[in-house]
Amino acid sequence: MPPALDRIRVGSAPDSWGVWFPDDPRQVPWDRFLDEVAEAGYEWIELGPYGYLPTDPARLTDEVGRRGLRVSAGTIFCGLHRGPTEWDATREQVGRVAALTRAMGAKHLVVIPSFWRDDRTAEILEPPELTGEQWSHLTTGMERLGREVKEGYGLDIVVHPHADTHIDTEEHVERFLDATDSDLVNLCLDTGHYAYCGGDSVKLIETYGERIGYLHLKQVDPEILADVRAQGVPFGPAVQRGVMCEPPSGVPELGPVLTAAQELGVELFAIVEQDMYPCEPDRPLPIAVRTRRFLRSCGA
């Protein structure tokens, strides 16, 4: 029997049901997501894109509570590398999402850097590499965001390295961590995105363990990934090709990742995400059930 991972709190998210946007006809309705995530055996969920789930705290509290669910985090996107001009738009978004996250009793705000190419059209929006000045804007902006979110809402921000953003590869992730204050900014390690960009999740946990504040569990199909890299395929179309796959058929192995996280000696959320936008509405639930069974076999 694997060791009990008693510090790991497993959940899932709208992303595992093919939800990327607040409203999209190709996505399952929010009430079906809540019904099915509970049926699959999960207790914790994320809010997903703001506006997908009900945004009235009383209504959402009732909807998740009667299904035996609880909320672990909200999510925002921001482009703080662009400098002070980006701050007002970021603050407005944060205010909405952080208030709902706090009202739901969650303690984390997952922060995803803005994409340098469009995730729907693959249009190049910005250079994939930041200048030194932009790196400075990014790190100081994230620290400011962390301070304001902590002081204003009692939440901790966890920054999510993501394909087709400026925090993606091992080099970029380590540069970001080395330049930010651990009291204000920590990491949401997404095992799939990190592998997609060539990183080793276990190594990162062992090297920067004190900065790992949250996990997203995800795997990539190595054969599809090799083709995607060779052809320079953007992330959105890569997902449509099935680059993010059902555990345990991909990489990284999640058992060693969870064991390394357990050994940090702190409680961590490990939220399952399998990017598969768009997908047939009947596809997510069976995958979610099998994935939950697999994680139990790992001790989670």
Side-chain angles (χ1 to χ4, degrees):
M1 291 290 291
L5 302 173
D6 57 2
R7 297 187 179 101
I8 308 298
R9 291 176 284 183
V10 172
S12 193
D15 183 64
S16 294
W17 268 254
V19 174
W20 278 13
F21 303 101
D23 185 32
D24 188 300
R26 293 186 289 182
Q27 296 176 171
V28 298
W30 64 266
D31 51 348
R32 178 171 178 176
F33 158 69
L34 291 179
D35 288 342
E36 293 189 352
V37 73
E39 182 181 344
Y42 294 99
E43 179 182 355
W44 294 94
I45 62 166
E46 290 183 355
L47 294 177
Y50 182 80
Y52 174 66
L53 295 176
T55 57
D56 175 70
R59 184 182 182 195
L60 186 55
T61 297
D62 175 67
E63 295 287 355
V64 300
R66 63 189 181 84
R67 294 172 171 89
L69 299 170
R70 291 188 283 176
V71 174
S72 62
T75 302
I76 67 160
F77 289 82
C78 63
L80 294 175
H81 65 284
R82 301 185 187 114
T85 56
E86 191 76 8
W87 188 254
D88 288 343
T90 299
R91 176 181 279 146
E92 180 183 359
Q93 179 192 179
V94 167
R96 296 192 305 268
V97 179
L100 181 59
T101 302
R102 178 180 61 183
M104 298 309 298
K107 299 297 184 184
H108 295 88
L109 188 66
V110 177
V111 180
I112 301 178
S114 58
F115 288 23
W116 53 261
R117 59 181 167 188
D118 189 274
D119 58 347
R120 289 201 197 212
T121 67
E123 176 190 0
I124 302 294
L125 305 173
E126 299 179 77
E129 291 288 336
L130 297 178
T131 66
E133 181 181 32
Q134 288 174 320
W135 268 108
S136 179
H137 286 320
L138 175 64
T139 54
T140 58
M142 285 294 189
E143 288 180 334
R144 179 183 179 185
L145 178 63
R147 183 180 296 108
E148 294 202 6
V149 167
K150 188 183 292 285
E151 292 175 354
Y153 300 95
L155 306 177
D156 292 326
I157 71 165
V158 283
V159 177
H160 182 319
H162 197 293
D164 288 357
T165 76
H166 297 107
I167 307 178
D168 51 1
T169 63
E170 178 179 305
E171 177 187 359
H172 288 164
V173 169
E174 291 186 355
R175 180 175 180 175
F176 177 76
L177 291 174
D178 289 343
T180 49
D181 184 343
S182 62
D183 289 335
L184 300 173
V185 179
N186 284 302
L187 206 69
C188 169
L189 170 58
D190 184 300
T191 60
H193 281 279
Y194 202 51
Y196 185 101
C197 298
D200 182 330
S201 289
V202 171
K203 177 186 174 185
L204 186 67
I205 293 170
E206 292 176 346
T207 308
Y208 285 90
E210 74 283 358
R211 304 301 299 275
I212 307 299
Y214 200 94
L215 295 173
H216 279 171
L217 301 181
K218 187 178 298 175
Q219 286 190 324
V220 295
D221 182 311
E223 293 186 4
I224 297 177
L225 179 61
D227 288 341
V228 163
R229 285 177 170 166
Q231 298 172 28
V233 176
F235 179 68
V239 167
Q240 294 181 33
R241 292 190 184 193
V243 72
M244 297 299 179
C245 61
E246 178 182 344
S249 60
V251 296
E253 289 185 59
L254 294 182
V257 171
L258 291 167
T259 298
Q262 169 77 11
E263 291 174 354
L264 294 176
V266 297
E267 289 196 351
L268 286 173
F269 284 106
I271 304 300
V272 176
E273 287 193 326
Q274 183 181 342
D275 293 319
M276 47 184 185
Y277 173 87
C279 69
E280 293 299 318
D282 292 335
R283 188 174 174 220
L285 178 57
I287 292 175
V289 170
R290 291 191 297 265
T291 301
R292 187 69 191 95
R293 185 182 307 126
F294 165 70
L295 292 173
R296 288 194 181 98
S297 75
C298 297

